Amino acid sequence: MLQFRILCNNYVARGRLLAEHGLSLWIERNGTSILFDAGQTDVWLRNAHTLGLKPESANAVVLSHGHYDHCGGLEHFPFQESSAMVYVTPQAFQKKLTLDANGAYRDIGMPWRLGDSPESEGRVASTEGKTEILPGVWTLGNIGSYNSFESVQDCFFTEEGAERVPDHMEDEQILVVKDGDGLAIFSGCSHRGVVNCVEHVRACFPGKKILSLVAGMHLNGEGPERIQKTLEYFSQSDLQKVIPLHCTGITAAAQLKQALGSRCALGAVGDKIDLS
């Protein structure tokens, strides 16, 4: 059985829970628990406690990339009570900037750093490429380009020495979980393109059927052509469940729901969704 709870998302639809711009999921599969991303503050932890979950029981923590709204809340993880390793690409610790509309650079990188707390020492594992972190659970980096309509937004930058250069989001990684005879994909923001993410999984797991996708799709603010081609791709795909979250944006999420009908579910903080 594969299911997940939404601990942090941009939207909340029930009392006693909190929302913020960020993402955090509690994934459960056959007695194994994974914390996927940690939002930007302690919101994910407070919601977990409200929902009766025990974050210290996580078997692994996976960070999708090095932006504050996915990694900031890691400082609140109960390392002292847990034996879980944190799986993250080494590039996630690079300087991360965004160029605002007024021409100012803003730091959007990971506020948490190795050694910030003694309890986290030795608990971070670098992942690159295809890495099996638990039986039937993989992180998948080095996401390729498989189409002409998806590219990383040009507002993101990193630093090479004293020079600011475009950030191609090479730190981004996907979580892939075996679900029966198929696969489930979890993506934090899909900066390199949500279609590219799915196609990269197909390339890395040839012959395996992809059953579901749970993702921030970073379609908020994208042009109509990219959104339309994304809608066409998923309409023609055989994915059984598509769950847009976080940076997908309300408009694009509604369009996905309209295009996919019962194959698409819209989730809010606190929702428990079965994928199997």
Side-chain angles (χ1 to χ4, degrees):
M1 181 181 68
L2 177 60
Q3 61 185 19
F4 70 95
R5 293 293 287 263
I6 302 174
L7 300 184
C8 177
N9 192 30
N10 297 34
Y11 317 106
V12 64
R14 64 182 73 181
R16 300 196 308 124
L17 296 172
L18 303 170
E20 68 179 4
H21 177 77
L23 184 68
S24 181
L25 306 176
W26 182 258
I27 303 167
E28 296 179 331
R29 171 183 174 267
N30 300 334
T32 297
S33 300
I34 301 165
L35 180 67
F36 180 71
D37 284 349
Q40 58 172 297
T41 69
D42 66 345
V43 159
W44 74 271
L45 181 63
R46 295 166 68 180
N47 287 336
H49 288 157
T50 299
L51 295 167
L53 300 174
K54 296 181 178 180
E56 65 274 11
S57 69
N59 298 95
V61 178
V62 176
L63 300 180
S64 63
H65 61 295
H67 283 170
Y68 73 101
D69 51 330
H70 296 258
C71 302
L74 187 62
E75 66 175 301
H76 302 285
F77 185 80
F79 283 104
Q80 68 278 10
E81 303 167 27
S82 170
S83 59
M85 293 291 292
V86 178
Y87 297 91
V88 59
T89 63
Q91 300 96 323
F93 294 98
Q94 292 176 335
K95 187 78 170 179
K96 297 282 187 177
L97 303 164
T98 186
L99 184 62
D100 288 340
N102 60 8
Y105 287 94
R106 177 167 57 90
D107 190 334
I108 57 170
M110 187 188 301
W112 183 84
R113 286 291 182 266
L114 294 171
D116 274 0
S117 59
E119 299 86 358
S120 64
E121 187 174 352
R123 303 285 289 282
V124 177
S126 293
T127 49
E128 292 187 84
K130 182 180 178 181
T131 306
E132 189 169 19
I133 62 172
L134 295 167
V137 179
W138 298 265
T139 55
L140 195 60
N142 300 328
I143 301 165
S145 179
Y146 300 87
N147 61 66
S148 61
F149 63 88
E150 290 182 315
S151 60
V152 178
Q153 290 179 332
D154 59 9
C155 62
F156 296 115
F157 291 84
T158 186
E159 292 182 350
E160 292 181 358
E163 184 180 2
R164 289 180 177 137
V165 297
D167 187 355
H168 300 296
M169 297 302 301
E170 293 176 355
D171 59 313
E172 190 168 43
Q173 63 178 356
I174 309 162
L175 181 68
V176 181
V177 181
K178 189 175 185 298
D179 184 9
D181 294 329
L183 302 172
I185 302 172
F186 296 86
S187 177
C189 259
S190 311
H191 283 289
R192 294 183 63 84
V194 67
V195 174
N196 279 330
C197 289
V198 175
E199 288 302 307
H200 192 64
V201 174
R202 292 194 196 280
C204 293
F205 293 86
K208 285 290 186 181
K209 184 177 178 62
I210 299 173
L211 301 176
S212 56
L213 168 70
V214 181
M217 300 185 184
H218 223 278
L219 295 174
N220 190 32
E222 286 289 353
E225 180 183 4
R226 178 164 173 171
I227 292 175
Q228 183 58 38
K229 287 186 178 295
T230 302
L231 291 172
E232 291 173 357
Y233 174 85
F234 286 114
S235 295
Q236 296 165 9
S237 77
D238 58 356
L239 271 70
Q240 297 174 7
K241 294 181 181 178
V242 175
I243 299 150
L245 300 170
H246 181 41
C247 55
T248 305
I250 294 175
T251 300
Q255 289 174 300
L256 278 163
K257 178 64 176 175
Q258 184 176 31
L260 302 181
S262 61
R263 290 199 293 140
C264 178
L266 304 179
V269 172
D271 287 352
K272 182 177 182 179
I273 299 175
D274 291 326
L275 295 177
S276 295

